[in-house]
Amino acid sequence: QVQLQESGPGLVKPSGTLSLTCAVSGGSISSSNWWSWVRQPPGKGLEWIGEIYHSGSTNSNPSLKSRVTISVDKSKNQFSLKLSSVTAADTAVYYCARENVTYGPEGGFDYWGQGTLVTVSS
Amino acid sequence: SYELTQPLSVSVALGQTARITCGGNNIGSKNVHWYQQKSGQAPVLVIYRDSNRPSGIPERFSGSNSGNTATLTISRAQAGDEADYYCQVWDSSTGVFGGGTKLTVL
């Protein structure tokens, strides 16, 4: 059973950089799946941030692309998110998730972390 | 950018059938995935690739996709089905979620 666990600071100052890590257990990050970040502002819907493949290839939401960096550490079986120049609008629960491509590209997210709340405030 | 439109809320009587729609331009040409999110919890995949159920999801959950509308159908609705439901597709290597639908079981 694959499990994902987000970790990182729960409070980030405005104009700073949000940094989160997602540890993968019960499976290899080098499997044929993509690994994504999704966020959810309080009381609002889901927003896809971006994804990474174990090769290092990435895709990002065009609305966030200039501020997003996603990286992978295969030796630690984890991947990370950095979001720069944050404002209060970036306050959200951040989830990491696995995109299952067993049946082809553009699969659904079959495993999710429990989510971590990141608040942007001084 | 590609947009998905969902009704804000849907109500269903206990034991009846609920249908939640997801509209998008020619969405029938895309793979649609559906998620259930209960209060304070992470989303759970309930339908993938239009109409497939992951292991552990009851047969009461089904999906269809044609033209400009995809539909999640929940048969014999139970109190435990009360949740927010989101549709999701991929467009030009970008993940896109619908705005979400709150399902109320009366």
Side-chain angles (χ1 to χ4, degrees), chain A residues 36 38 40 44-48 51 59-62 95 99-110 112-115, chain B residues 1 30-31 33 35 37 40-45 47-49 54 84 86 88 90-100:
Chain A
S36 276
V38 177
Q40 184 171 36
K44 296 188 178 181
L46 302 170
E47 180 182 32
W48 182 77
E51 64 178 357
N59 294 301
S60 299
N61 191 321
Y95 295 99
E99 178 198 347
N100 189 330
V101 296
T102 300
Y103 304 104
E106 303 187 342
F109 301 115
D110 61 348
W112 295 69
Q114 87 281 5
Chain B
S1 62
K30 299 181 180 297
N31 292 313
H33 315 291
Y35 304 88
Q37 185 180 35
Q41 298 183 18
V44 172
L45 181 68
I47 293 290
Y48 66 96
R49 297 184 185 276
D84 294 325
Y86 295 89
Q88 181 253 321
W90 292 92
D91 180 70
S92 301
S93 299
T94 298
V96 180
F97 286 96

Side-chain angles (χ1 to χ4, degrees), chain B residues 10-84:
Chain B
V10 168
S11 298
V12 62
L14 188 67
Q16 298 304 302
T17 297
R19 294 179 178 84
I20 298 172
T21 58
C22 176
N25 184 33
N26 196 26
I27 195 173
S29 67
K30 299 181 180 297
N31 292 313
V32 179
H33 315 291
W34 289 92
Y35 304 88
Q36 175 193 69
Q37 185 180 35
K38 296 183 178 179
S39 181
Q41 298 183 18
V44 172
L45 181 68
V46 294
I47 293 290
Y48 66 96
R49 297 184 185 276
D50 298 343
S51 59
N52 297 280
R53 278 177 295 102
S55 174
I57 300 301
E59 292 183 8
R60 301 184 297 103
F61 288 81
S62 62
S64 62
N65 183 21
S66 180
N68 293 318
T69 304
T71 303
L72 172 68
T73 301
I74 305 171
S75 304
R76 302 182 298 284
Q78 301 178 359
D81 297 332
E82 276 208 349
D84 294 325

Side-chain angles (χ1 to χ4, degrees), chain A residues 14-98:
Chain A
S15 77
T17 297
L18 178 159
S19 297
L20 295 174
T21 296
C22 180
V24 179
S25 59
S28 173
I29 202 165
S30 296
S31 63
S32 299
N33 294 293
W34 286 75
W35 305 89
S36 276
W37 289 98
V38 177
R39 71 180 182 179
Q40 184 171 36
K44 296 188 178 181
L46 302 170
E47 180 182 32
W48 182 77
I49 299 170
E51 64 178 357
I52 191 164
Y53 196 65
H54 62 77
S55 63
S57 296
T58 59
N59 294 301
S60 299
N61 191 321
S63 68
L64 299 169
K65 189 167 187 170
S66 63
R67 300 194 290 132
V68 168
T69 301
I70 300 175
S71 59
V72 64
D73 186 336
K74 291 184 285 186
S75 67
K76 294 183 178 179
N77 217 39
Q78 64 187 32
F79 62 107
S80 300
L81 168 71
K82 291 188 184 297
L83 182 66
S84 63
S85 305
V86 297
T87 69
D90 295 308
T91 294
V93 174
Y94 285 76
Y95 295 99
C96 55
R98 186 185 85 165

